[in-house]
């Protein structure tokens, strides 16, 4: 991809002036705002629910949402300056704006109306409350149904499936985590299905920020959450069913390394010329004027071509660019009336990634390793995740797998399915699906993370789960890595003459292996664990027994070199004292849930140490550290009559400056408690904060 300045005349044509059919007729509904800032939208039709949802997102997250739409247009540099140029180039080179307009036109008339209504809700809020929208973001307004589609397309296909960093040379952020459980009536004490939704994503506001809502209209009710800017719930439940997502290992894009020759590239022994096209975009200057730049985009038979700083020339091929129905699929999943209908909707395979975990009142549960997965003749996941030779048609894929090809577990005899971002093979335990029965590029055979192993162990124990059991196990702060390593470490250190080592041994021996606010050994163990298992607690080099697919939830374990581990303990003692002032500092004194004026003791820790209640703590600053990532939206549902539902939006349900709901749920997170999720109108009316008619 070449890039040069100029005043080229060929500008992008009118994508953002596409008229929404007439303004959607959505009047006659209302939003009831509960005391946690959750909007409960009651509408007379689908478009009305989308309108209310858009209005509510603008009220609680307007600045983020509007900015995201500006970015998805490929016009961020025009609005906000030079630092946005690379992001715009990524959007334009991958044809996101044009394809979004095409996808918008390919929706059914009803779903186009829904998208238009969602955008109109955002516009109407901004028009009614201009002082609430940052002027720097307001330049993007008005937004359209095409903007809504462009943002979804960018998020799903060019952040999750094909992140810019993977193609252009940086390490993609590995912060896409989640937990999910579904428990069947056979393992439930009440005989009712149980469902946990528990995504873990970054806390700083971005396209990963979550929003909780309740959407009601004729023939549908959905309570749940989604990422801001999306017009549908990606995590949803109602009186009879629910579904959740976790990020999976599916590789839906390929980076082909090209061999350049004579101004073209080598393909099947011949030199093939690049196809080229030009686009222009604008860049805002410091004085407010706009500079027009021309982007020359090359493409090969594989896809658009990019030049990396390391000298590689790479072509990107992304699966699913011919499948515009992801948003509509999520919407229809939430409207499904039974599992057979839900599965028929899943078979569309329009959602390009994510495990889907399902449970319903009739007792069905499912784990699906969902996604749009290219078919290959050879190679494992590692091969297809790297730079693939682009000089031969032997590596050029053109087909994708069907729903029937994908790993899945339906209604297992074990009575549960789970996922914690691990490969699909231990979706239930004992295993019912095996790595050997699928192509090797579907997913790796392992290793399972310690968080995923603890997820299985929390569910596979004998006996039936009450709803209270379900809740308490979700809140587990037990550290599985301590079980695997502490016995050997303490035995090796028992005879060490160093009094500081003996003090550490006494501290660790007395520890209950939980990472709670009052835990006095958790900081020391975490510091030691980072040395024992470097690379974000994932290295197995120092374990005595490495992970094995024959013992997937009991390995790795033990310490290969006890003396070296004691040396690491001595280094950890010194580091813990230096960073935290003492080896026995209470965990919650330095690990804080801190947003605005709310500053509370923290709990939970790094998932790779085997913690299910996950918080990825940032670096120490001014004597404290705060979450970078971790627990976000949590819901636990029992499909009883009536249903039981509790949950939490960890950082609050709003990000707008001055909102009382920016940090009002941190107390629950700190106390390890949940709120009741008010799913009936009677409950909402009893906890009403405000009402918006539309």
């Amino acid at each position: 991809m070449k890039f040069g300045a100029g005043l080229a005349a060929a500008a992008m044509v009118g994508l953002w002036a596409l008229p929404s059919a007439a303004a959607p007729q959505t009047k006659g509904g209302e939003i009831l705002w509960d005391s946690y800032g959750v909007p409960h939208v009651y509408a007379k039709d689908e478009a009305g629910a989308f309108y209310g949802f858009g209005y509510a997102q603008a009220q609680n997250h307007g600045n983020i949402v509007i900015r995201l739409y500006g970015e998805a247009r490929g016009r961020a540099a025009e609005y906000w300056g030079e630092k946005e140029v690379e992001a715009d180039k990524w959007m334009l080179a991958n044809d996101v704006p044009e394809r979004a307009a095409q996808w918008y036109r390919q929706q059914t008339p009803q779903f186009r109306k829904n998208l238009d209504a969602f955008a109109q809700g955002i516009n109407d809020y901004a028009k009614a409350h201009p002082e609430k929208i940052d002027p720097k973001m307001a330049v993007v307004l008005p937004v359209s149904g095409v903007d809504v589609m462009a943002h979804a397309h960018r998020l799903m296909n060019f952040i999750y499936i094909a992140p810019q960093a993977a193609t252009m040379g940086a390490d993609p952020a590995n912060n896409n985590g989640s937990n999910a459980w579904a428990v069947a009536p056979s393992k439930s004490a009440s005989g009712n299905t149980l469902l946990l939704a528990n995504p873990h994503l970054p806390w700083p506001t971005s396209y990963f920020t979550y929003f909780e809502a309740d959407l009601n209209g004729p023939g549908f009710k959905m309570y749940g959450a989604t990422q801001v800017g999306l017009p549908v719930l990606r995590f949803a439940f109602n009186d009879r069913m629910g579904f959740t997502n976790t990020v999976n290992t599916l590789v839906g894009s390929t980076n082909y390394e090209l061999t350049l020759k004579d101004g073209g590239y080598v393909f099947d022994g011949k030199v093939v010329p690049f196809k080229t096209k030009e686009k222009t975009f604008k860049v805002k200057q410091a004085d407010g004027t706009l500079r027009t730049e021309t982007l020359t985009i090359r493409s090969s038979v594989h896809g658009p071509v990019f030049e990396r700083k390391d000298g590689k020339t790479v072509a990107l091929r992304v699966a699913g660019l011919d499948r515009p129905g992801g948003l509509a699929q999520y919407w229809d999943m939430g409207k499904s009336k039974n599992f057979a209908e839900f599965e028929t909707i899943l078979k569309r395979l329009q959602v390009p990634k994510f495990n889907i975990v399902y449970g319903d009142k009739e007792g069905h549960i499912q784990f699906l390793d969902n996604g749009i997965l290219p078919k290959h003749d050879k190679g494992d996941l590692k091969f297809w995740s790297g730079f693939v030779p682009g000089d031969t048609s032997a590596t050029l894929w053109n087909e994708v797998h069907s729903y029937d090809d994908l790993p899945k577990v339906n209604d297992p005899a074990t009575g549960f399915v789970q996922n914690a971002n691990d490969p699909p093979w231990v979706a239930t335990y004992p295993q019912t699906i095996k790595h050997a029965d699928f192509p090797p590029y579907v997913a790796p055979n392992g290793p399972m993370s310690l968080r995923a192993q603890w997820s299985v162990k929390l569910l596979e124990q004998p006996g039936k789960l009450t709803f209270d059991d379900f809740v308490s196990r979700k809140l587990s702060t037990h550290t599985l890595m301590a079980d695997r390593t502490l016995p050997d470490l303490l035995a090796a250190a028992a005879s060490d003459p160093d009094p500081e080592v003996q003090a550490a041994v006494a501290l660790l021996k007395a520890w209950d292996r939980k990472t709670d606010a009052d835990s006095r050994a958790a900081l020391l163990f975490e510091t030691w664990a980072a040395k024992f298992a470097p690379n974000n607690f994932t290295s197995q080099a120092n374990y005595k027994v490495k992970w094995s697919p024959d013992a997937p939830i009991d390995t790795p374990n033990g310490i290969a070199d006890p003396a070296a581990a004691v040396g690491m303990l001595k280094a950890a003692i010194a580091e813990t004292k230096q960073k935290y002032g003492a080896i026995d500092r209470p965990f919650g004194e330095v690990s804080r849930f801190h947003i605005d004026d709310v500053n509370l003791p923290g709990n939970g820790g790094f998932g790779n140490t085997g913690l299910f209640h996950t918080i990825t703590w940032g670096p120490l600053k001014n004597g404290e550290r705060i979450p970078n990532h971790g627990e976000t939206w949590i819901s636990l549902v029992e499909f009883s009559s009536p249903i039981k539902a509790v949950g939490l939006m960890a950082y609050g349900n709003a990000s707008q400056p001055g909102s009382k709901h920016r940090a009002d749920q941190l107390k629950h997170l700190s106390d390890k408690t949940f709120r009741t999720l008010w799913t009936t109108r009677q409950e909402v009316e009893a906890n009403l904060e405000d009402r918006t008619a539309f």
Side-chain angles (χ1 to χ4, degrees):
M1 185 171 65
K2 295 179 179 177
F3 180 72
L7 292 173
M12 289 176 53
V13 189
L15 294 176
W16 311 109
L18 277 176
S20 302
Q25 298 300 308
T26 55
K27 304 303 179 184
E30 60 182 339
I31 306 169
L32 303 186
W33 297 90
D34 73 26
S35 55
Y36 284 99
V38 176
H40 302 258
V41 180
Y42 296 89
K44 64 181 181 181
D45 56 19
E46 282 192 13
F50 278 74
Y51 176 90
F53 194 26
Y55 192 100
Q57 287 203 29
Q59 178 164 316
N60 282 26
H61 293 289
N63 289 341
I64 314 175
V65 172
I66 295 167
R67 181 181 176 93
L68 291 173
Y69 289 174
E71 292 172 353
R73 288 177 180 174
R75 294 174 63 184
E78 176 183 338
Y79 300 137
W80 304 300
E82 198 80 41
K83 64 183 182 301
E84 308 295 338
V85 165
E86 292 303 317
D88 280 357
K89 287 163 64 177
W90 184 248
M91 291 295 92
L92 298 175
N94 285 297
D95 291 331
V96 170
E98 294 94 333
R99 193 176 298 107
Q102 176 188 342
W103 282 11
Y104 170 85
R105 291 189 293 267
Q106 289 177 278
Q107 303 305 303
T108 65
Q110 178 62 58
F111 205 73
R112 280 199 304 274
K113 185 177 179 181
N114 294 347
L115 296 174
D116 292 341
F118 184 83
Q120 191 62 45
I122 294 170
N123 293 332
D124 285 357
Y125 176 83
K127 184 176 180 180
H129 304 279
E131 76 286 354
K132 299 288 189 180
I133 303 298
D134 186 333
K136 292 179 181 178
M137 307 306 148
V139 297
V140 176
L141 295 168
V143 299
S144 71
V146 177
D147 287 314
V148 180
M149 182 61 74
H151 166 63
H153 178 28
R154 175 200 183 203
L155 178 67
M156 295 298 175
N157 298 101
F158 291 101
I159 291 174
Y160 275 113
I161 293 292
Q164 184 175 2
T167 297
M168 298 306 292
D171 289 329
N174 187 23
N175 281 336
N176 302 325
S178 301
N179 297 325
W181 289 343
V183 174
S186 63
K187 195 170 176 62
S188 166
S190 65
N192 299 315
T193 304
L194 307 170
L195 181 69
L196 165 69
N198 181 206
H200 305 146
L201 285 173
W203 276 35
T205 52
S206 72
Y207 40 69
F208 287 138
T209 299
Y210 275 86
F211 185 50
E212 179 181 345
D214 176 23
L215 308 179
N216 301 270
F220 63 87
K221 176 181 179 58
M222 303 174 204
Y223 194 113
T226 197
Q227 283 146 305
V228 293
L230 296 181
V232 295
L233 297 177
R234 289 189 53 229
F235 304 76
F237 67 88
N238 54 35
D239 288 348
R240 61 152 301 276
M241 59 79 72
F243 61 89
T244 183
N245 302 247
T246 63
V247 174
N248 58 6
T249 57
L250 180 141
V251 176
S253 65
T254 307
N255 286 296
Y256 289 96
E257 185 172 358
L258 302 184
T259 301
L260 303 183
K261 187 174 181 181
D262 299 336
Y265 61 99
V266 177
F267 189 71
D268 283 346
K270 298 179 181 179
V271 176
V272 182
F274 291 105
K275 293 182 179 180
T276 63
K277 60 183 176 182
E278 290 188 346
K279 296 181 182 180
T280 64
F281 64 100
K282 295 180 171 63
V283 182
K284 186 177 181 180
Q285 307 299 288
D287 63 2
T289 60
L290 297 176
R291 181 182 82 246
T292 299
E293 301 222 1
T294 300
L295 181 67
T296 300
I297 303 163
R298 296 182 298 170
S299 62
S300 68
V301 295
H302 315 85
V305 173
F306 301 89
E307 295 175 4
R308 290 162 45 99
K309 291 181 180 179
D310 62 4
K312 286 184 171 65
T313 299
V314 176
L316 177 64
R317 192 169 188 83
V318 180
L321 299 186
D322 58 345
R323 300 192 176 202
L327 292 176
Q329 179 176 322
Y330 269 122
W331 178 247
D332 290 344
M333 285 160 61
K335 293 195 298 178
S336 63
K337 299 297 186 287
N338 52 57
F339 179 62
E341 184 179 334
F342 184 84
E343 191 168 34
T344 298
I345 295 164
L346 290 181
K347 289 179 180 180
R348 299 177 191 171
L349 280 184
Q350 299 289 307
V351 175
K353 193 174 174 67
F354 312 113
N355 298 304
I356 294 174
V357 171
Y358 169 93
D360 67 26
K361 195 177 187 72
E362 291 76 37
H364 295 293
I365 62 173
Q366 182 193 49
F367 162 85
L368 170 66
D369 187 19
N370 169 76
I372 304 172
L373 177 65
K375 280 187 178 180
H376 306 297
D377 293 331
K378 62 180 181 179
D380 59 10
L381 184 131
K382 183 178 180 181
F383 175 83
W384 290 103
S385 299
F387 292 104
V388 174
D391 59 354
T392 170
S393 57
T395 60
L396 183 65
W397 53 263
N398 289 293
E399 297 180 61
V400 298
H401 284 277
S402 70
Y403 173 87
D404 291 337
D405 293 342
L406 300 176
K408 63 184 71 67
V409 176
N410 290 358
D411 297 334
T414 60
F416 74 90
V417 293
Q418 69 80 39
N419 187 261
N421 309 115
D422 47 309
W425 319 122
V426 193
T428 196
Y429 196 80
Q431 294 170 259
T432 60
I433 53 175
K434 301 283 188 177
H435 178 262
D437 295 332
F438 294 84
Y441 56 78
V442 169
N445 197 19
M448 284 184 71
S449 72
L450 291 179
R451 171 168 60 94
Q453 293 183 40
W454 188 235
S455 175
V456 175
K457 286 179 174 291
L458 287 166
L459 293 179
E460 59 96 28
Q461 303 164 25
K464 298 190 175 186
L465 286 169
T466 67
F467 188 65
D468 287 345
D469 293 333
F470 196 58
V471 170
S472 66
R473 293 186 194 187
K474 159 62 203 106
L475 290 169
S476 168
T477 57
H478 186 83
T479 308
L480 183 60
M481 188 177 175
D483 296 344
R484 301 287 174 82
T485 58
L486 271 187
D488 284 2
L489 177 63
L490 295 176
S495 60
D496 192 285
D498 187 335
E500 288 194 330
V501 171
Q502 290 311 306
V505 166
L507 182 67
L508 291 168
K509 189 176 290 186
W511 182 38
D512 61 5
R513 302 180 186 177
K514 294 181 180 178
T515 303
D516 289 325
D518 59 358
S519 296
R520 288 186 169 271
L523 290 170
L524 175 62
F525 181 79
E526 177 195 298
T527 306
W528 174 83
K531 300 180 185 303
F532 179 81
N535 191 24
N536 194 25
F537 308 100
T538 62
S539 171
Q540 295 190 27
N542 291 314
Y543 282 99
K544 183 177 182 179
V545 178
K546 309 300 188 279
W547 184 84
S548 166
D550 297 325
I553 66 170
D554 294 303
T555 54
N557 60 60
I559 292 176
D561 186 339
V566 174
M568 294 173 195
L569 179 60
K570 292 179 179 181
I573 291 167
E575 182 178 335
T576 306
K577 288 171 67 177
Q578 187 271 324
K579 287 174 69 174
Y580 306 121
I583 64 168
D584 62 349
R585 184 93 179 270
F587 185 82
E589 284 190 6
V590 293
S591 307
R592 308 294 294 180
F593 295 141
H594 187 179
I595 298 175
D596 297 340
D597 295 333
V598 180
N599 191 343
L600 297 166
N603 53 66
F606 297 90
N608 286 339
T609 64
L611 268 156
F612 193 73
H613 189 61
T614 303
I615 296 289
T616 302
W617 296 100
L620 200 65
K621 185 177 180 181
N622 298 324
E624 69 171 25
R625 60 182 191 173
I626 61 175
N628 277 343
H629 159 273
E631 302 292 336
T632 51
W633 159 249
I634 309 166
S635 70
L636 300 104
V637 180
E638 178 176 348
F639 293 101
S640 49
S641 298
I643 63 169
K644 296 177 184 175
V646 299
L648 195 62
M649 184 66 78
Y651 39 55
N653 208 38
S655 62
Q656 287 297 89
S659 171
K660 68 172 71 172
H661 301 299
R662 281 172 59 96
D664 60 334
Q665 298 184 52
L666 286 179
K667 183 75 163 62
H668 282 289
L669 189 64
S670 181
D671 291 346
K672 294 173 65 178
T673 58
F674 291 117
R675 355 176 312 256
T676 297
L677 303 182
W678 297 311
T679 61
T680 68
R681 182 154 189 149
Q682 182 180 5
E683 290 174 314
V684 175
E685 294 274 9
N687 296 279
L688 192 63
E689 180 175 275
D690 202 1
R691 188 186 305 262
T692 302
F694 60 86

